[in-house]
Amino acid sequence: MKRLIVFSVIAIAAGSARASEIPFFTSPDVPDYTARMIVHENYSKEGGRQRIVQHHNGWTHIEEERGDETDVYYGHFFKNVILTANRKDGEITSFMVRQVEPSQDYYGIREVKEIDDVETVGGEQCRWREFIRGKPQKGFSGPFYLSCLTGDGIEVATKVLLSRGEVTSETRLVELQRGPVPETAIRPPLQLFTASNWLKPLSGYEDYTPNAPDFDARLVSDRSEERLLRHYPWWLRQRSREDGFILITVWNEREDQGLQYSLSKGQREFRGVRSLANPGQFFRRFDGVYGMADMGKQERLLGEDCAWFDRQPDSADAGLWQCLTSDGIPLIDNHWSGWGDGEIFRIVSLTRRPVHMDEMQPPHEYLDPASWGFVGAQ
């Protein structure tokens, strides 16, 4: 390795995708290429895992093996959009797509230092760059991220260092092929952006007999409005605020299955999960409840009686208390927080009526892959 300790700060106008997902680029004109790499993590007892990278016209598709599962990524560094998915037994069981303005990105690149530290990796000569992610924290330095780029901008090695310089993970090139990559290779499956894909019955899914009535309710807090639907075992919660904030969650209370769309200042996110629930699991990711502790209190709203339950017993910093009717409808949702940003929703209208699954899907325009930049999704 040739080592000349010379640093220069490089401004990054856009692009702050996470280091472990898509490659770091300094310019958008990197040529098409396919790379085979090996990832090593110090904390893992397993050997190195394979990472396949395909890049075309600014868009990147990556697949990493993790035992019997595969992590899949699609994204564009300079558009700051990243899609992550998990595939097992040939089926994608979870995914998330996120786009955020760099100024709003907690994990964004804040500073890049070009190091005259040249190395040959996999037969390719590259120059190292060091960059710092996230907002500065007083009294804390690191971790530090390093990327080694060829002369034409291809990332062929990476390192993540702790503040004391210890390498926690690294990726190194094994084989690189420059040449055309087809458009189809860097576009995600269209089904990932289809709500019905995440809401269809799972294999082994039981035909549940409804034990609670369908209903349509509206709740309000001092700053938000919420619509709540139930078609057992499915729920929809749609929350909105005057500042443009939107949060739509659809989930199955019997399985770890559902989807969520969120929109707030400078960022948006859509995710979906299809996985049979573990009966002993501690926490379901969509409704966030894991208990039903009777709090010994009752109330009455809109002519309905309800009893208070702690849905997250033993929670120390934040939790959920609900006042539920005898058929499980929350008349009051108290999302309390020890940090002072809690919110209490009270019911203002309630109708028990048949609810259809087509009522429990986000608007199509929220999920359209083209709106995320993935034109031509397969």
Side-chain angles (χ1 to χ4, degrees):
M1 181 187 295
K2 302 175 184 177
R3 187 171 180 82
L4 301 172
I5 308 300
V6 179
F7 292 87
S8 62
V9 176
I10 304 172
I12 297 295
S16 53
R18 301 287 295 279
S20 62
E21 296 170 343
I22 62 175
F24 169 75
F25 296 121
T26 57
S27 68
D29 58 353
V30 175
D32 283 16
Y33 72 89
T34 300
R36 183 166 64 91
M37 311 179 81
I38 297 296
V39 182
H40 293 276
E41 294 174 331
N42 286 359
Y43 56 82
S44 174
K45 296 181 181 179
E46 301 176 355
R49 66 179 185 273
Q50 182 168 264
R51 173 180 169 98
I52 302 297
V53 182
Q54 294 177 290
H55 176 266
H56 168 72
N57 196 29
W59 291 92
T60 309
H61 170 207
I62 297 164
E63 302 215 356
E64 284 189 15
E65 299 175 351
R66 288 184 182 271
D68 62 347
E69 300 183 4
T70 302
D71 292 337
V72 182
Y73 307 103
Y74 295 89
H76 195 296
F77 184 83
F78 289 96
K79 295 180 185 296
N80 221 36
V81 60
I82 179 72
L83 184 156
T84 66
N86 180 266
R87 186 173 64 229
K88 186 173 183 179
D89 299 327
E91 182 179 356
I92 291 180
T93 58
S94 65
F95 108 113
M96 178 181 72
V97 60
R98 180 173 181 263
Q99 188 169 34
V100 56
E101 293 179 4
S103 63
Q104 301 293 319
D105 191 359
Y106 178 84
Y107 296 101
I109 294 174
R110 305 302 172 190
E111 182 181 357
V112 178
K113 298 177 180 179
E114 185 175 277
I115 311 170
D116 259 349
D117 194 343
V118 179
E119 185 175 353
T120 298
V121 181
E124 297 281 340
Q125 189 176 78
C126 64
R127 187 180 303 277
W128 285 96
R129 288 168 172 80
E130 176 186 302
F131 46 95
I132 300 173
R133 295 179 178 273
K135 296 179 180 178
Q137 298 183 37
K138 186 177 181 179
F140 176 79
S141 61
F144 300 97
Y145 301 86
L146 290 90
S147 176
C148 204
L149 305 183
T150 64
D152 54 0
I154 298 174
E155 183 181 83
V156 294
T158 69
K159 293 179 185 178
V160 180
L161 309 179
L162 295 179
S163 56
R164 60 179 179 272
E166 177 186 350
V167 177
T168 62
S169 67
E170 62 180 337
T171 304
R172 296 183 71 84
L173 177 74
V174 176
E175 180 182 5
L176 175 65
Q177 294 181 345
R178 292 175 176 83
V181 171
E183 186 86 13
T184 55
I186 47 83
R187 297 305 184 199
L190 180 61
Q191 69 187 60
L192 299 183
F193 295 89
T194 305
S196 59
N197 173 69
W198 302 105
L199 307 182
K200 67 184 178 183
L202 292 155
S203 57
Y205 187 94
E206 298 179 29
D207 186 12
Y208 298 119
T209 301
N211 64 357
D214 291 8
F215 72 86
D216 182 350
R218 189 168 68 92
L219 298 91
V220 297
S221 74
D222 59 352
R223 62 180 184 272
S224 306
E225 182 171 321
E226 187 172 271
R227 188 185 185 196
L228 198 60
L229 299 178
R230 179 174 65 191
H231 175 67
Y232 183 85
W234 291 97
W235 291 74
L236 174 139
R237 176 180 285 120
Q238 181 167 336
R239 186 176 300 173
S240 59
R241 293 200 299 255
E242 290 185 356
D243 63 2
F245 169 84
I246 297 172
L247 178 64
I248 301 174
T249 309
V250 185
W251 75 97
N252 184 323
E253 70 171 62
R254 297 294 299 268
E255 310 290 353
D256 191 13
Q257 180 183 10
L259 59 83
Q260 186 173 80
Y261 173 85
S262 62
L263 174 67
S264 57
K265 183 181 180 181
Q267 58 186 308
R268 57 179 176 151
E269 180 180 295
F270 172 49
R271 61 190 179 114
V273 174
R274 296 187 73 246
S275 176
L276 289 170
N278 178 354
Q281 69 186 6
F282 175 71
F283 193 84
R284 292 200 299 273
R285 71 191 82 195
F286 285 109
D287 61 2
V289 303
Y290 54 84
M292 192 79 169
D294 191 340
M295 299 175 68
K297 300 186 297 180
Q298 291 79 38
E299 293 206 35
R300 186 174 179 82
L301 283 83
L302 296 182
E304 301 267 356
D305 294 318
C306 64
W308 280 99
F309 293 90
D310 187 344
R311 307 308 308 276
Q312 297 176 357
D314 304 319
S315 178
D317 299 318
L320 173 63
W321 298 339
Q322 290 184 315
C323 198
L324 302 174
T325 64
S326 58
D327 53 2
I329 299 173
L331 303 186
I332 308 175
D333 267 350
N334 183 351
H335 300 264
W336 65 271
S337 171
W339 295 284
D341 57 351
E343 196 165 7
I344 301 175
F345 289 86
R346 296 178 180 273
I347 199 162
V348 293
S349 69
L350 171 61
T351 303
R352 291 176 176 85
R353 65 167 180 83
V355 173
H356 301 285
M357 284 301 295
D358 58 6
E359 297 180 71
M360 306 181 76
Q361 298 189 18
H364 173 73
E365 58 268 24
Y366 290 175
L367 313 186
D368 182 6
S371 72
W372 297 86
F374 293 104
V375 179
Q378 302 300 303

